[in-house]
Amino acid sequence: MRMKRPFIMLLAAGLLAGSLAACSSSNDPSSSDTSENANTPVKLTYWNTNGPGLDGLIKQYQEENKNITLDVQIDEANHKQNLLTALSAGSGAPDIVILTVDDIPQFKKEDYFYNLKDFGADALQKDYLDSRWKQGTSADGSFIFGIPTDSGPMAMMYRTQLFEQAGLPTDREEVSKLAATWDDYFKLGETIKEKTGKPLTTDAFFGAFLPKIQQGGEFTFFDKDGNLTMDTNPAVKEAWDFSAKLAQVGLTAQQPDFSNDWKVGLDTGDFATMFAPPWMLGLVKQNAPNAKGKWDIAMMPGGSANWGGSFLLIPKQSKHAKEAYAFIKWILAPEQQLSVYESNGNFPSTPGVYKDEGFTSKKDNFFNGAPVGEIYPKAAEQVTLMDSINNWSAITNEIGQQLPNVEKGADPERTWTELVSKVKSTLAR
Amino acid sequence: MRTGQAARRFNQRMSDHISGYLYTLPFFAIFMVFGFYPMLYTIYISLFKWDMLGDRTFVGLRNYRLLLTDDPLFWKSIGNTFLIWFESVPFQILFAILLAVLLNQAFIKGKGVFRFFIFLPNITSLVAVSLIFANVFGVKYGLFNYLLTLLGLDRIDWAGDSWATQLAVAALVFWRYLGFHMVIQLAGLQSIPGDLYEAATIDGASKGQQFFRITIPLLTPTIMFSTLIATTGGLQLFTEPFTFMSDLSGAVAAVNGGTNNQVLTVVMYLYKTAFTDHAFGYSSAIANLLLVIILLFALFNSLLVGKLRR
Amino acid sequence: MRNKTGRSIVYVLLLLFVGFSVFPFYWMSVISTRTAGEISAIPPKVFYGSRLAENFDKIFNNENVDFLRTMGNTAIIAISITVSMLLLSSLAGFAFARLNFTGKGFMLLFVLGTLMIPAQLGIIPQYLIITKLQWLNDYRAVIVPGMVSAFGVFFMRQYIEASVPNELVEAGRIDGCRNLQLYALIAVPTIAPAYATLGILTFMGAWNDYLWPSIVMKSNEMLTVQVALLRLDTSSYFQDKSLVMAASVMATLPLFLIFLFFNRQFIAGVTDGAVKG
């Protein structure tokens, strides 16, 4: 009895080895979308991550649509790897999957997802921020991979006490003016450093490069065909040079976002400013509860840029794409985005709701009563189109890796040259 | 008489063969499916340029050529792996033997309690362990640097100085697996018959003589076993440095093994090339080279032991 | 007299290592009672805070995860793996140590070789196999690959080689014992301590395994406890470490109990072979 099973498995393995080449998934789209009666019970699996704050709505949806059951599965640590595995194995992928703005560029492969345009998603585009919508489509906009969840327009947190000590104004309007351009921001840093000895920002990557490159236009590292342009595009070099300059004169605290030192630094005020999208505010409260009233929020240099937010997509493997789409359409509609904002603070990507009175009147007591309901819509309007193709995160990873070395004294020019050649050989592999 | 004995011997040989293959079959069957097949798959994939979702392009041995001739980071990751191994494993085995021998002394009371507590790190969740080690080795706000500043000393840059990060990871590995190896050594000690020691005591041999003449020689296979496990585990080190770095200095540092790639191990590099760079064929080639390296290492190890025994 | 100071030194040494080993665990339990903000504070907070009740409520009245059920799943998996590991490893170990068959040396070398295969590299093909067998969200997906390992086989082989005398096996043969009887009547009783050791290591390993179960056990009712830990709080983008710690402590408690229970067995074995006097 005991011996039988391994034999079967051996056999199975033999069969598998024979069909290795057949493993690359080529799904027949016509067979996978079986239309079903509206009352047939349907179970949708949904691979979620922490954060989008949709839990309450998912429950509501199931109550209102008795035939739909949602099996929500979360695996924060291996989300992306699991999806890659399931997609390339050709089975095991969910009906609905969430992908962040960082991850979606690599998953824009038309063979693996439904084009939501086929379900009429192009009619929804007008409801969403242009900058967010475009991240979820192919470069020419003809293939809609996913619909945006919440949004991450950035503003600038600043430590009022450090501004006072430096003899600077602490009023939001005036601080916004002080940091209107990146040059102004640099000068602001010099003043603060001189008067208080404290650095301007957390680190050179999150505190300068990332926001700056996200203001660099729709094609930064790659052109629309996916060819590498990081070495020829002046916007990239400009962002690098600025970050390096900030690092070299010691305006960065070398406490990169999310590290332990950063968490404590939020509490003690080790840096004067930090760029923060709305979702970051919750994280600050959680990690630095004693800093209540010590931070305020103003506009960031150069307008704004988007950091974070996700998309919901439907893998081709789904047999219930129609039901999945109906769910996505509902849960990401403006009314629902507004309700998530009210319950969880996730910032809607549907600008229509920004005018809502309950929205604009929102203030945050933790941040000195900053009118977040006014600041963030204003920021969201200034977010320009952003890069979202090819292996975007492999390049930001390389840059995030090298900037700390410049902070510690490495030569920026040489580091840059090495970095570019490294990226080139990485992409050739 | 003679033919009867020969027949018995023949029967014995037959049944030894049948039993031998039958008893080892489950292992080989499971290994074939979940070990050997994946190996073949990896070898096959390593001949392609593939991002897991697009088309595969056959590139022959290009991935191996690039790895061997055009990828300093690969060699660095091998160097790191051996360095961290060297900084943790020998001490780990040494202390494991020491602790096991101490715990095996008859006069010790509460053996179970000691054994339990020293084994504890091995069952503590890694999420907790890495968070706590990141607290201890934090650069600005770590416990260790806090103590240094109390003593009026300079802080150590655990996140930036290569040697410091490597040492911190080695400390974590040492701490986490010490109990594991102690338990194995204890099992080995028990396989040594007690009457050997009794006889030696009667012959007037001192405790020290007994340790070097009886314990060490008879424990050698167990020590070899521990060393082998620690080495293969050490050369495949991944989760500990990864989660530790992610708490210490964020996700970017975790993927790259620090700003100078100082704790980027081979498996971490394999992971980065697969899931950050999306070069899956390349990553498979790394896996295969790692296998070759480990096999060479084990071969060298066994040759060395063979020499020593003679 | 000299003996006495010697013994004290031994105790002090052991206690030192106990402290070294226990402190992080103790700290983990402290963190589970504190808020996320207090975790990284300097000077560190080394005493218990007040958040335990809140965390426990979040764990046991959780909307996403039935925590007790995930413990049950993990127990089913870990027990199955451990039982089969002990049986299959000792059988194979016995064959390698005390039976003569052609190709034995090579096969043993092969077992050793498989120890060296990096676990991370096989995930995708292994996943392919599981999907072809239609074992996703099935206990078998986790149990079967773990039923026997090179580590177990080699460990048992080493132990039997050292502790089951060849003469005893030969004597058994002359008495007319068949191989399976030799294994059951001579080897098994002798290697009880090895069973305890391998059993504990296997059980702990299976209980704490994360990566593989997280890939093949997806649906909420099939989760193992280590995967469930990270699904407790999904409201914010970043994990509430304090809650994770509290759940880790809960997840480790059964291990404590099992360890303490089997410890007696194990220690009996220890003293059998221990230095007398």
Side-chain angles (χ1 to χ4, degrees), chain A residues 179-202:
Chain A
T181 68
W182 288 98
D183 284 336
D184 295 338
Y185 185 61
F186 186 81
K187 280 185 206 118
L188 176 69
E190 286 181 318
T191 313
I192 292 172
K193 177 96 186 170
E194 192 189 323
K195 299 273 170 60
T196 69
K198 295 272 180 164
L200 175 64
T201 187
T202 54

Side-chain angles (χ1 to χ4, degrees), chain A residues 81 106 109 112 270 397, chain B residues 51 53 141 256 271 275 278:
Chain A
Q81 289 86 315
Q106 301 140 36
K109 300 279 167 75
Y112 294 89
D270 288 347
N397 173 61
Chain B
D51 67 359
L53 296 184
Y141 296 107
N256 300 296
Y271 184 87
F275 295 115
H278 287 232

